[in-house]
Amino acid sequence: MDLTTLSTTFERNGYAAPITVLDEREVASYRQAYDQLEQMRKANGITGRPTQQHLVHKPFWDLATHPRVLEVIKAAIGDDVVLLATGFFSKPPGEAEKFVAWHQDTTYWGLEPPFAATLWIAIDDADIENGCLRVIPGTHKGGLLPHGQSGKAANMLGADQEIDQSLIDERKAVDLELKAGQASLHDGITVHGSNPNRSQRRRCGMTVRFTRPDVKPVPGVFIDKPILLAGEDRHGHFQYTPRPTFAS
């Protein structure tokens, strides 16, 4: 997908995919880095979903700030870019109950207006069988919907949030199948989720969250560690976290 098509598609539908980000060599390198992270966390009894790893591990900083990532996000939201957060969503084989409920990213992020964009970078192939990301096109134009709690332990969202099924038309859902190294981009208001992994293959991807400097963080709600990644801030709404440094 070229950048002009990406920009118009993102604006019209609230998402764009597939977007090529990494070559095969890079995919292998980042997958190895994630595998090592997963092994380290398991050895140390760390549970939960890995987040903000770009602040402490150089490979994930390199991925979040990859030249192609910057090229894509600038095409979608403009030249002034704030990196908000990163995280991994991994669905191993044998854990077929795990799913991501229908939700909108910026419901709980404390941004005013609630504008952000999420790039979902596939570390493994993601398809319908192993529970790829699903979106409902055009929902970014309808504003934020009420969210409740799913009450399901298998929901991978940290706050167990879920949009009431009566408020969305799941028949319009589009499955965003990606090859490892490809990515999808969605607006923070676009309704999305994912089904369980019914395959014998892992489905892992890294999310990278962005906004613009003109968006205001809501005091007492906004909890991320923003970094001005590109362009300039003419507004002064954010208190930025320094870029991480890593030993050579």
Side-chain angles (χ1 to χ4, degrees), residues 6 8 25 53 83 90 146 149 154 170 175 208 232 235 238:
L6 183 153
T8 56
R25 178 188 59 79
Q53 298 300 306
L83 170 61
S90 178
Q149 292 190 310
E170 193 168 338
D175 294 290
V208 192
E232 58 182 304
H235 305 276
F238 288 97

Side-chain angles (χ1 to χ4, degrees), residues 158-204:
D160 190 33
Q161 62 262 43
E162 182 178 48
I163 299 171
D164 191 294
Q165 292 288 332
S166 66
L167 299 178
I168 55 178
D169 186 353
E170 193 168 338
R171 295 172 298 177
K172 297 180 179 178
V174 175
D175 294 290
L176 303 185
E177 295 190 293
L178 303 172
K179 293 294 185 181
Q182 293 181 328
S184 62
L185 182 71
H186 64 266
D187 188 291
I189 303 181
T190 298
V191 174
H192 62 289
S194 65
N195 289 327
N197 180 357
R198 304 297 186 190
S199 77
Q200 295 304 308
R201 297 170 289 114
R202 186 184 70 182
R203 190 227 66 169
C204 180

Side-chain angles (χ1 to χ4, degrees), residues 31-182:
R31 183 185 293 131
Q32 181 182 41
Y34 177 77
D35 290 346
Q36 291 172 344
L37 172 67
E38 199 171 62
Q39 292 167 6
M40 179 274 292
R41 287 168 58 86
K42 184 176 181 179
N44 288 279
I46 302 172
T47 59
R49 191 166 59 83
T51 61
Q52 302 295 63
Q53 298 300 306
H54 67 288
L55 296 174
V56 291
H57 294 292
K58 187 177 186 300
F60 306 130
W61 170 257
D62 291 344
L63 180 53
T65 62
H66 190 285
R68 178 60 173 166
V69 168
L70 288 176
E71 187 179 48
V72 166
I73 198 63
K74 285 181 180 181
I77 73 172
D79 291 336
D80 301 328
V81 178
V82 178
L83 170 61
L84 292 176
T86 64
F88 284 96
F89 282 88
S90 178
K91 296 177 186 174
E95 297 184 13
E97 75 283 357
K98 284 189 175 183
F99 76 106
V100 178
W102 290 116
H103 68 288
Q104 295 164 300
D105 286 339
T106 48
T107 301
Y108 297 102
W109 286 7
L111 298 173
E112 182 57 44
F115 176 79
T118 298
L119 191 68
W120 201 102
I121 305 171
I123 301 298
D124 304 321
D125 290 349
D127 51 42
I128 292 173
E129 188 182 15
N130 69 359
C132 64
L133 185 69
R134 311 178 78 209
V135 299
I136 301 183
T139 47
H140 65 303
K141 298 179 180 179
L144 291 175
L145 298 171
H147 285 58
Q149 292 190 310
S150 76
K152 301 171 184 175
N155 185 5
M156 296 178 70
L157 297 175
D160 190 33
Q161 62 262 43
E162 182 178 48
I163 299 171
D164 191 294
Q165 292 288 332
S166 66
L167 299 178
I168 55 178
D169 186 353
E170 193 168 338
R171 295 172 298 177
K172 297 180 179 178
V174 175
D175 294 290
L176 303 185
E177 295 190 293
L178 303 172
K179 293 294 185 181
Q182 293 181 328

